[in-house]
mmCIF file of all heavy atoms in Angstrom:
data_model
loop_
_atom_site.group_PDB
_atom_site.id
_atom_site.type_symbol
_atom_site.label_atom_id
_atom_site.label_comp_id
_atom_site.label_asym_id
_atom_site.label_seq_id
_atom_site.Cartn_x
_atom_site.Cartn_y
_atom_site.Cartn_z
ATOM 1 N N VAL E 902 23.598 -5.265 -106.183
ATOM 2 C CA VAL E 902 22.459 -5.142 -107.129
ATOM 3 C C VAL E 902 21.251 -5.832 -106.468
ATOM 4 O O VAL E 902 21.390 -6.967 -105.985
ATOM 5 C CB VAL E 902 22.825 -5.854 -108.457
ATOM 6 C CG1 VAL E 902 21.614 -5.806 -109.391
ATOM 7 C CG2 VAL E 902 24.034 -5.238 -109.103
ATOM 8 N N ARG E 903 20.165 -5.133 -106.486
ATOM 9 C CA ARG E 903 18.950 -5.720 -105.920
ATOM 10 C C ARG E 903 18.580 -6.995 -106.651
ATOM 11 O O ARG E 903 18.689 -7.078 -107.851
ATOM 12 C CB ARG E 903 17.772 -4.754 -106.052
ATOM 13 C CG ARG E 903 17.813 -3.604 -105.156
ATOM 14 C CD ARG E 903 16.610 -2.747 -105.423
ATOM 15 N NE ARG E 903 16.433 -1.734 -104.431
ATOM 16 C CZ ARG E 903 15.365 -0.996 -104.299
ATOM 17 N NH1 ARG E 903 14.355 -1.165 -105.120
ATOM 18 N NH2 ARG E 903 15.284 -0.097 -103.362
ATOM 19 N N ASN E 904 18.122 -7.949 -105.899
ATOM 20 C CA ASN E 904 17.667 -9.223 -106.468
ATOM 21 C C ASN E 904 16.137 -9.165 -106.607
ATOM 22 O O ASN E 904 15.435 -9.226 -105.603
ATOM 23 C CB ASN E 904 18.095 -10.379 -105.592
ATOM 24 C CG ASN E 904 17.747 -11.724 -106.173
ATOM 25 O OD1 ASN E 904 16.657 -11.899 -106.732
ATOM 26 N ND2 ASN E 904 18.643 -12.670 -106.003
ATOM 27 N N ALA E 905 15.664 -8.999 -107.812
ATOM 28 C CA ALA E 905 14.219 -8.825 -108.053
ATOM 29 C C ALA E 905 13.429 -10.022 -107.560
ATOM 30 O O ALA E 905 12.349 -9.896 -106.968
ATOM 31 C CB ALA E 905 13.944 -8.584 -109.535
ATOM 32 N N SER E 906 13.962 -11.234 -107.751
ATOM 33 C CA SER E 906 13.261 -12.438 -107.312
ATOM 34 C C SER E 906 13.112 -12.454 -105.791
ATOM 35 O O SER E 906 12.061 -12.779 -105.257
ATOM 36 C CB SER E 906 14.020 -13.692 -107.788
ATOM 37 O OG SER E 906 14.011 -13.740 -109.174
ATOM 38 N N ALA E 907 14.159 -12.087 -105.108
ATOM 39 C CA ALA E 907 14.136 -12.068 -103.646
ATOM 40 C C ALA E 907 13.104 -11.040 -103.161
ATOM 41 O O ALA E 907 12.369 -11.287 -102.199
ATOM 42 C CB ALA E 907 15.506 -11.782 -103.064
ATOM 43 N N ARG E 908 13.101 -9.875 -103.798
ATOM 44 C CA ARG E 908 12.152 -8.841 -103.404
ATOM 45 C C ARG E 908 10.706 -9.298 -103.604
ATOM 46 O O ARG E 908 9.836 -9.065 -102.745
ATOM 47 C CB ARG E 908 12.393 -7.571 -104.220
ATOM 48 C CG ARG E 908 13.669 -6.856 -103.866
ATOM 49 C CD ARG E 908 13.806 -5.586 -104.661
ATOM 50 N NE ARG E 908 12.826 -4.628 -104.205
ATOM 51 C CZ ARG E 908 12.315 -3.681 -104.971
ATOM 52 N NH1 ARG E 908 12.695 -3.538 -106.211
ATOM 53 N NH2 ARG E 908 11.449 -2.836 -104.493
ATOM 54 N N GLN E 909 10.449 -9.981 -104.714
ATOM 55 C CA GLN E 909 9.100 -10.454 -104.998
ATOM 56 C C GLN E 909 8.690 -11.545 -103.974
ATOM 57 O O GLN E 909 7.539 -11.519 -103.498
ATOM 58 C CB GLN E 909 9.014 -10.999 -106.417
ATOM 59 C CG GLN E 909 9.116 -9.902 -107.463
ATOM 60 C CD GLN E 909 9.176 -10.475 -108.857
ATOM 61 O OE1 GLN E 909 9.076 -11.660 -109.072
ATOM 62 N NE2 GLN E 909 9.401 -9.598 -109.833
ATOM 63 N N LEU E 910 9.577 -12.443 -103.646
ATOM 64 C CA LEU E 910 9.269 -13.475 -102.682
ATOM 65 C C LEU E 910 8.985 -12.852 -101.317
ATOM 66 O O LEU E 910 8.025 -13.245 -100.648
ATOM 67 C CB LEU E 910 10.422 -14.478 -102.569
ATOM 68 C CG LEU E 910 10.569 -15.458 -103.703
ATOM 69 C CD1 LEU E 910 11.855 -16.238 -103.564
ATOM 70 C CD2 LEU E 910 9.366 -16.397 -103.749
ATOM 71 N N ARG E 911 9.802 -11.904 -100.922
ATOM 72 C CA ARG E 911 9.647 -11.245 -99.635
ATOM 73 C C ARG E 911 8.332 -10.476 -99.571
ATOM 74 O O ARG E 911 7.634 -10.495 -98.542
ATOM 75 C CB ARG E 911 10.800 -10.284 -99.389
ATOM 76 C CG ARG E 911 10.764 -9.521 -98.127
ATOM 77 C CD ARG E 911 11.257 -10.376 -96.991
ATOM 78 N NE ARG E 911 11.338 -9.594 -95.782
ATOM 79 C CZ ARG E 911 11.303 -10.076 -94.610
ATOM 80 N NH1 ARG E 911 11.215 -11.358 -94.413
ATOM 81 N NH2 ARG E 911 11.384 -9.328 -93.572
ATOM 82 N N ALA E 912 7.964 -9.831 -100.682
ATOM 83 C CA ALA E 912 6.721 -9.062 -100.733
ATOM 84 C C ALA E 912 5.498 -9.925 -100.897
ATOM 85 O O ALA E 912 4.363 -9.479 -100.723
ATOM 86 C CB ALA E 912 6.796 -8.028 -101.878
ATOM 87 N N GLY E 913 5.698 -11.201 -101.225
ATOM 88 C CA GLY E 913 4.564 -12.106 -101.435
ATOM 89 C C GLY E 913 3.918 -11.964 -102.795
ATOM 90 O O GLY E 913 2.803 -12.411 -102.990
ATOM 91 N N THR E 914 4.577 -11.290 -103.709
ATOM 92 C CA THR E 914 4.068 -11.147 -105.072
ATOM 93 C C THR E 914 5.146 -11.602 -106.045
ATOM 94 O O THR E 914 6.261 -11.132 -106.001
ATOM 95 C CB THR E 914 3.692 -9.682 -105.398
ATOM 96 O OG1 THR E 914 4.857 -8.884 -105.245
ATOM 97 C CG2 THR E 914 2.633 -9.170 -104.478
ATOM 98 N N ILE E 915 4.790 -12.532 -106.908
ATOM 99 C CA ILE E 915 5.734 -13.023 -107.878
ATOM 100 C C ILE E 915 5.181 -12.740 -109.256
ATOM 101 O O ILE E 915 4.021 -12.990 -109.547
ATOM 102 C CB ILE E 915 5.962 -14.544 -107.681
ATOM 103 C CG1 ILE E 915 6.551 -14.785 -106.308
ATOM 104 C CG2 ILE E 915 6.850 -15.115 -108.771
ATOM 105 C CD1 ILE E 915 6.717 -16.235 -105.929
ATOM 106 N N ARG E 916 6.034 -12.223 -110.112
ATOM 107 C CA ARG E 916 5.611 -11.853 -111.451
ATOM 108 C C ARG E 916 6.213 -12.794 -112.491
ATOM 109 O O ARG E 916 6.538 -12.384 -113.583
ATOM 110 C CB ARG E 916 6.005 -10.404 -111.730
ATOM 111 C CG ARG E 916 5.370 -9.411 -110.764
ATOM 112 C CD ARG E 916 5.811 -8.048 -111.019
ATOM 113 N NE ARG E 916 5.741 -7.725 -112.427
ATOM 114 C CZ ARG E 916 4.878 -6.879 -112.979
ATOM 115 N NH1 ARG E 916 4.077 -6.230 -112.223
ATOM 116 N NH2 ARG E 916 4.859 -6.655 -114.272
ATOM 117 N N THR E 917 6.341 -14.059 -112.122
ATOM 118 C CA THR E 917 6.925 -15.052 -112.994
ATOM 119 C C THR E 917 5.900 -16.175 -113.213
ATOM 120 O O THR E 917 5.277 -16.626 -112.269
ATOM 121 C CB THR E 917 8.213 -15.628 -112.409
ATOM 122 O OG1 THR E 917 9.113 -14.573 -112.115
ATOM 123 C CG2 THR E 917 8.885 -16.621 -113.318
ATOM 124 N N VAL E 918 5.784 -16.563 -114.440
ATOM 125 C CA VAL E 918 4.887 -17.667 -114.774
ATOM 126 C C VAL E 918 5.681 -18.704 -115.524
ATOM 127 O O VAL E 918 6.497 -18.402 -116.405
ATOM 128 C CB VAL E 918 3.700 -17.184 -115.670
ATOM 129 C CG1 VAL E 918 2.872 -18.342 -116.158
ATOM 130 C CG2 VAL E 918 2.874 -16.192 -114.915
ATOM 131 N N GLY E 919 5.466 -19.968 -115.180
ATOM 132 C CA GLY E 919 6.144 -21.040 -115.899
ATOM 133 C C GLY E 919 5.140 -21.847 -116.677
ATOM 134 O O GLY E 919 3.966 -21.972 -116.280
ATOM 135 N N ALA E 920 5.567 -22.421 -117.757
ATOM 136 C CA ALA E 920 4.727 -23.301 -118.588
ATOM 137 C C ALA E 920 5.554 -24.492 -119.005
ATOM 138 O O ALA E 920 6.673 -24.317 -119.493
ATOM 139 C CB ALA E 920 4.163 -22.556 -119.791
ATOM 140 N N ILE E 921 4.986 -25.661 -118.849
ATOM 141 C CA ILE E 921 5.711 -26.874 -119.251
ATOM 142 C C ILE E 921 4.972 -27.389 -120.491
ATOM 143 O O ILE E 921 3.781 -27.590 -120.474
ATOM 144 C CB ILE E 921 5.687 -27.934 -118.142
ATOM 145 C CG1 ILE E 921 6.415 -27.379 -116.926
ATOM 146 C CG2 ILE E 921 6.320 -29.231 -118.658
ATOM 147 C CD1 ILE E 921 6.327 -28.277 -115.705
ATOM 148 N N VAL E 922 5.706 -27.515 -121.561
ATOM 149 C CA VAL E 922 5.137 -27.978 -122.813
ATOM 150 C C VAL E 922 5.898 -29.247 -123.268
ATOM 151 O O VAL E 922 7.049 -29.437 -122.897
ATOM 152 C CB VAL E 922 5.188 -26.945 -123.937
ATOM 153 C CG1 VAL E 922 4.359 -25.727 -123.568
ATOM 154 C CG2 VAL E 922 6.605 -26.510 -124.210
ATOM 155 N N LEU E 923 5.186 -30.127 -124.004
ATOM 156 C CA LEU E 923 5.802 -31.384 -124.421
ATOM 157 C C LEU E 923 6.875 -31.199 -125.480
ATOM 158 O O LEU E 923 7.925 -31.863 -125.441
ATOM 159 C CB LEU E 923 4.738 -32.301 -124.959
ATOM 160 C CG LEU E 923 3.676 -32.732 -123.928
ATOM 161 C CD1 LEU E 923 2.589 -33.615 -124.594
ATOM 162 C CD2 LEU E 923 4.314 -33.509 -122.797
ATOM 163 N N ASP E 924 6.635 -30.276 -126.426
ATOM 164 C CA ASP E 924 7.612 -30.096 -127.510
ATOM 165 C C ASP E 924 7.510 -28.683 -128.021
ATOM 166 O O ASP E 924 6.600 -28.357 -128.793
ATOM 167 C CB ASP E 924 7.306 -31.106 -128.623
ATOM 168 C CG ASP E 924 8.274 -31.018 -129.775
ATOM 169 O OD1 ASP E 924 9.283 -30.278 -129.666
ATOM 170 O OD2 ASP E 924 8.031 -31.708 -130.794
ATOM 171 N N ILE E 925 8.446 -27.833 -127.651
ATOM 172 C CA ILE E 925 8.398 -26.440 -128.057
ATOM 173 C C ILE E 925 8.569 -26.279 -129.554
ATOM 174 O O ILE E 925 8.196 -25.280 -130.148
ATOM 175 C CB ILE E 925 9.406 -25.581 -127.263
ATOM 176 C CG1 ILE E 925 9.080 -24.091 -127.383
ATOM 177 C CG2 ILE E 925 10.832 -25.840 -127.714
ATOM 178 C CD1 ILE E 925 7.809 -23.685 -126.730
ATOM 179 N N ALA E 926 9.132 -27.305 -130.252
ATOM 180 C CA ALA E 926 9.275 -27.241 -131.679
ATOM 181 C C ALA E 926 7.931 -27.479 -132.400
ATOM 182 O O ALA E 926 7.788 -27.125 -133.549
ATOM 183 C CB ALA E 926 10.304 -28.269 -132.135
ATOM 184 N N ASN E 927 6.977 -28.036 -131.676
ATOM 185 C CA ASN E 927 5.646 -28.279 -132.246
ATOM 186 C C ASN E 927 4.921 -26.925 -132.324
ATOM 187 O O ASN E 927 4.790 -26.225 -131.320
ATOM 188 C CB ASN E 927 4.903 -29.235 -131.356
ATOM 189 C CG ASN E 927 3.509 -29.589 -131.870
ATOM 190 O OD1 ASN E 927 2.818 -28.709 -132.385
ATOM 191 N ND2 ASN E 927 3.105 -30.798 -131.649
ATOM 192 N N PRO E 928 4.469 -26.509 -133.520
ATOM 193 C CA PRO E 928 3.809 -25.223 -133.671
ATOM 194 C C PRO E 928 2.645 -25.025 -132.740
ATOM 195 O O PRO E 928 2.370 -23.870 -132.315
ATOM 196 C CB PRO E 928 3.380 -25.219 -135.118
ATOM 197 C CG PRO E 928 4.214 -26.207 -135.784
ATOM 198 C CD PRO E 928 4.550 -27.266 -134.798
ATOM 199 N N PHE E 929 1.923 -26.056 -132.379
ATOM 200 C CA PHE E 929 0.780 -25.928 -131.463
ATOM 201 C C PHE E 929 1.268 -25.365 -130.117
ATOM 202 O O PHE E 929 0.710 -24.424 -129.571
ATOM 203 C CB PHE E 929 0.060 -27.261 -131.262
ATOM 204 C CG PHE E 929 -0.974 -27.191 -130.169
ATOM 205 C CD1 PHE E 929 -2.176 -26.593 -130.388
ATOM 206 C CD2 PHE E 929 -0.703 -27.753 -128.907
ATOM 207 C CE1 PHE E 929 -3.151 -26.491 -129.357
ATOM 208 C CE2 PHE E 929 -1.650 -27.675 -127.907
ATOM 209 C CZ PHE E 929 -2.874 -27.045 -128.133
ATOM 210 N N PHE E 930 2.306 -26.004 -129.555
ATOM 211 C CA PHE E 930 2.798 -25.558 -128.240
ATOM 212 C C PHE E 930 3.458 -24.199 -128.315
ATOM 213 O O PHE E 930 3.397 -23.417 -127.355
ATOM 214 C CB PHE E 930 3.751 -26.619 -127.681
ATOM 215 C CG PHE E 930 3.061 -27.908 -127.338
ATOM 216 C CD1 PHE E 930 3.417 -29.062 -128.004
ATOM 217 C CD2 PHE E 930 2.060 -27.972 -126.396
ATOM 218 C CE1 PHE E 930 2.811 -30.254 -127.732
ATOM 219 C CE2 PHE E 930 1.427 -29.141 -126.085
ATOM 220 C CZ PHE E 930 1.795 -30.312 -126.775
ATOM 221 N N THR E 931 4.058 -23.888 -129.442
ATOM 222 C CA THR E 931 4.633 -22.547 -129.631
ATOM 223 C C THR E 931 3.534 -21.507 -129.582
ATOM 224 O O THR E 931 3.685 -20.453 -128.921
ATOM 225 C CB THR E 931 5.374 -22.475 -130.964
ATOM 226 O OG1 THR E 931 6.364 -23.489 -131.000
ATOM 227 C CG2 THR E 931 6.030 -21.113 -131.158
ATOM 228 N N GLU E 932 2.405 -21.796 -130.205
ATOM 229 C CA GLU E 932 1.273 -20.864 -130.180
ATOM 230 C C GLU E 932 0.659 -20.773 -128.770
ATOM 231 O O GLU E 932 0.244 -19.661 -128.360
ATOM 232 C CB GLU E 932 0.199 -21.297 -131.192
ATOM 233 C CG GLU E 932 0.585 -21.035 -132.628
ATOM 234 C CD GLU E 932 0.805 -19.550 -132.886
ATOM 235 O OE1 GLU E 932 -0.011 -18.716 -132.486
ATOM 236 O OE2 GLU E 932 1.834 -19.237 -133.521
ATOM 237 N N VAL E 933 0.619 -21.858 -128.067
ATOM 238 C CA VAL E 933 0.114 -21.818 -126.697
ATOM 239 C C VAL E 933 0.997 -20.922 -125.826
ATOM 240 O O VAL E 933 0.533 -20.075 -125.096
ATOM 241 C CB VAL E 933 -0.001 -23.249 -126.086
ATOM 242 C CG1 VAL E 933 -0.227 -23.186 -124.568
ATOM 243 C CG2 VAL E 933 -1.066 -24.059 -126.771
ATOM 244 N N ALA E 934 2.316 -21.119 -125.950
ATOM 245 C CA ALA E 934 3.265 -20.278 -125.195
ATOM 246 C C ALA E 934 3.125 -18.834 -125.579
ATOM 247 O O ALA E 934 3.125 -17.933 -124.705
ATOM 248 C CB ALA E 934 4.696 -20.785 -125.405
ATOM 249 N N ARG E 935 2.978 -18.566 -126.860
ATOM 250 C CA ARG E 935 2.792 -17.170 -127.334
ATOM 251 C C ARG E 935 1.504 -16.580 -126.761
ATOM 252 O O ARG E 935 1.450 -15.425 -126.361
ATOM 253 C CB ARG E 935 2.763 -17.118 -128.875
ATOM 254 C CG ARG E 935 2.419 -15.771 -129.461
ATOM 255 C CD ARG E 935 3.491 -14.761 -129.205
ATOM 256 N NE ARG E 935 4.676 -15.245 -129.879
ATOM 257 C CZ ARG E 935 5.689 -14.495 -130.206
ATOM 258 N NH1 ARG E 935 5.660 -13.207 -129.946
ATOM 259 N NH2 ARG E 935 6.759 -14.990 -130.780
ATOM 260 N N GLY E 936 0.445 -17.364 -126.755
ATOM 261 C CA GLY E 936 -0.835 -16.902 -126.194
ATOM 262 C C GLY E 936 -0.724 -16.543 -124.722
ATOM 263 O O GLY E 936 -1.256 -15.535 -124.267
ATOM 264 N N ILE E 937 -0.014 -17.391 -123.949
ATOM 265 C CA ILE E 937 0.192 -17.105 -122.523
ATOM 266 C C ILE E 937 0.970 -15.797 -122.389
ATOM 267 O O ILE E 937 0.590 -14.923 -121.586
ATOM 268 C CB ILE E 937 0.975 -18.275 -121.863
ATOM 269 C CG1 ILE E 937 0.095 -19.527 -121.836
ATOM 270 C CG2 ILE E 937 1.417 -17.867 -120.464
ATOM 271 C CD1 ILE E 937 0.848 -20.782 -121.434
ATOM 272 N N GLU E 938 2.046 -15.657 -123.150
ATOM 273 C CA GLU E 938 2.843 -14.424 -123.079
ATOM 274 C C GLU E 938 2.016 -13.209 -123.457
ATOM 275 O O GLU E 938 2.053 -12.175 -122.743
ATOM 276 C CB GLU E 938 4.037 -14.573 -124.035
ATOM 277 C CG GLU E 938 4.972 -13.408 -123.994
ATOM 278 C CD GLU E 938 6.144 -13.572 -124.962
ATOM 279 O OE1 GLU E 938 6.181 -14.561 -125.715
ATOM 280 O OE2 GLU E 938 7.023 -12.697 -124.950
ATOM 281 N N ASP E 939 1.253 -13.287 -124.524
ATOM 282 C CA ASP E 939 0.438 -12.154 -124.955
ATOM 283 C C ASP E 939 -0.602 -11.809 -123.915
ATOM 284 O O ASP E 939 -0.872 -10.620 -123.642
ATOM 285 C CB ASP E 939 -0.247 -12.457 -126.293
ATOM 286 C CG ASP E 939 0.736 -12.482 -127.461
ATOM 287 O OD1 ASP E 939 1.885 -12.056 -127.283
ATOM 288 O OD2 ASP E 939 0.367 -12.999 -128.534
ATOM 289 N N ARG E 940 -1.228 -12.805 -123.326
ATOM 290 C CA ARG E 940 -2.290 -12.570 -122.367
ATOM 291 C C ARG E 940 -1.771 -11.919 -121.078
ATOM 292 O O ARG E 940 -2.411 -11.088 -120.470
ATOM 293 C CB ARG E 940 -3.037 -13.863 -122.044
ATOM 294 C CG ARG E 940 -4.134 -13.744 -121.063
ATOM 295 C CD ARG E 940 -5.259 -12.867 -121.620
ATOM 296 N NE ARG E 940 -6.361 -12.736 -120.696
ATOM 297 C CZ ARG E 940 -6.524 -11.753 -119.854
ATOM 298 N NH1 ARG E 940 -5.693 -10.755 -119.850
ATOM 299 N NH2 ARG E 940 -7.535 -11.725 -119.029
ATOM 300 N N LEU E 941 -0.572 -12.290 -120.704
ATOM 301 C CA LEU E 941 -0.013 -11.806 -119.467
ATOM 302 C C LEU E 941 0.836 -10.534 -119.611
ATOM 303 O O LEU E 941 1.235 -9.953 -118.616
ATOM 304 C CB LEU E 941 0.867 -12.902 -118.783
ATOM 305 C CG LEU E 941 0.083 -14.127 -118.376
ATOM 306 C CD1 LEU E 941 1.036 -15.193 -117.818
ATOM 307 C CD2 LEU E 941 -0.998 -13.818 -117.356
ATOM 308 N N ALA E 942 1.025 -10.108 -120.828
ATOM 309 C CA ALA E 942 1.820 -8.878 -121.061
ATOM 310 C C ALA E 942 1.082 -7.679 -120.421
ATOM 311 O O ALA E 942 -0.149 -7.655 -120.395
ATOM 312 C CB ALA E 942 1.977 -8.649 -122.563
ATOM 313 N N PRO E 943 1.826 -6.722 -119.883
ATOM 314 C CA PRO E 943 1.208 -5.586 -119.200
ATOM 315 C C PRO E 943 0.192 -4.812 -120.026
ATOM 316 O O PRO E 943 -0.716 -4.211 -119.494
ATOM 317 C CB PRO E 943 2.381 -4.695 -118.840
ATOM 318 C CG PRO E 943 3.613 -5.548 -118.956
ATOM 319 C CD PRO E 943 3.279 -6.646 -119.895
ATOM 320 N N THR E 944 0.363 -4.834 -121.352
ATOM 321 C CA THR E 944 -0.557 -4.022 -122.203
ATOM 322 C C THR E 944 -1.735 -4.851 -122.712
ATOM 323 O O THR E 944 -2.530 -4.337 -123.478
ATOM 324 C CB THR E 944 0.215 -3.434 -123.372
ATOM 325 O OG1 THR E 944 0.810 -4.512 -124.145
ATOM 326 C CG2 THR E 944 1.298 -2.470 -122.911
ATOM 327 N N SER E 945 -1.785 -6.148 -122.325
ATOM 328 C CA SER E 945 -2.876 -6.993 -122.872
ATOM 329 C C SER E 945 -4.238 -6.569 -122.271
ATOM 330 O O SER E 945 -4.321 -6.042 -121.145
ATOM 331 C CB SER E 945 -2.613 -8.453 -122.585
ATOM 332 O OG SER E 945 -2.734 -8.717 -121.205
ATOM 333 N N THR E 946 -5.293 -6.829 -123.012
ATOM 334 C CA THR E 946 -6.636 -6.536 -122.528
ATOM 335 C C THR E 946 -7.394 -7.832 -122.504
ATOM 336 O O THR E 946 -7.176 -8.734 -123.347
ATOM 337 C CB THR E 946 -7.350 -5.567 -123.456
ATOM 338 O OG1 THR E 946 -7.337 -6.079 -124.779
ATOM 339 C CG2 THR E 946 -6.685 -4.180 -123.422
ATOM 340 N N PRO E 947 -8.332 -8.028 -121.583
ATOM 341 C CA PRO E 947 -9.056 -9.303 -121.464
ATOM 342 C C PRO E 947 -9.939 -9.600 -122.637
ATOM 343 O O PRO E 947 -10.295 -8.789 -123.424
ATOM 344 C CB PRO E 947 -9.922 -9.117 -120.191
ATOM 345 C CG PRO E 947 -9.522 -7.829 -119.589
ATOM 346 C CD PRO E 947 -8.633 -7.081 -120.544
#
């Protein structure tokens, strides 16, 4: 099975984003994470 992560590293393009939040149970950070996800979704518009 192709390893997508290995292919992306080899190609020099990575389609993974990480976010470190203090407390995911805190609604503020949940909204921040949701905003990041929505903004980076393929169908999002600037």
Side-chain angles (χ1 to χ4, degrees):
V902 177
R903 287 180 169 191
N904 183 321
S906 296
R908 289 183 69 208
Q909 290 173 5
L910 285 171
R911 179 81 174 157
T914 60
I915 298 175
R916 299 178 48 111
T917 304
V918 173
I921 299 173
V922 296
L923 297 176
D924 182 8
I925 197 65
N927 181 323
F929 171 76
F930 294 117
T931 303
E932 286 300 313
V933 169
R935 172 68 62 161
I937 292 169
E938 183 180 5
D939 290 346
R940 180 65 178 97
L941 296 176
T944 58
S945 70
T946 54

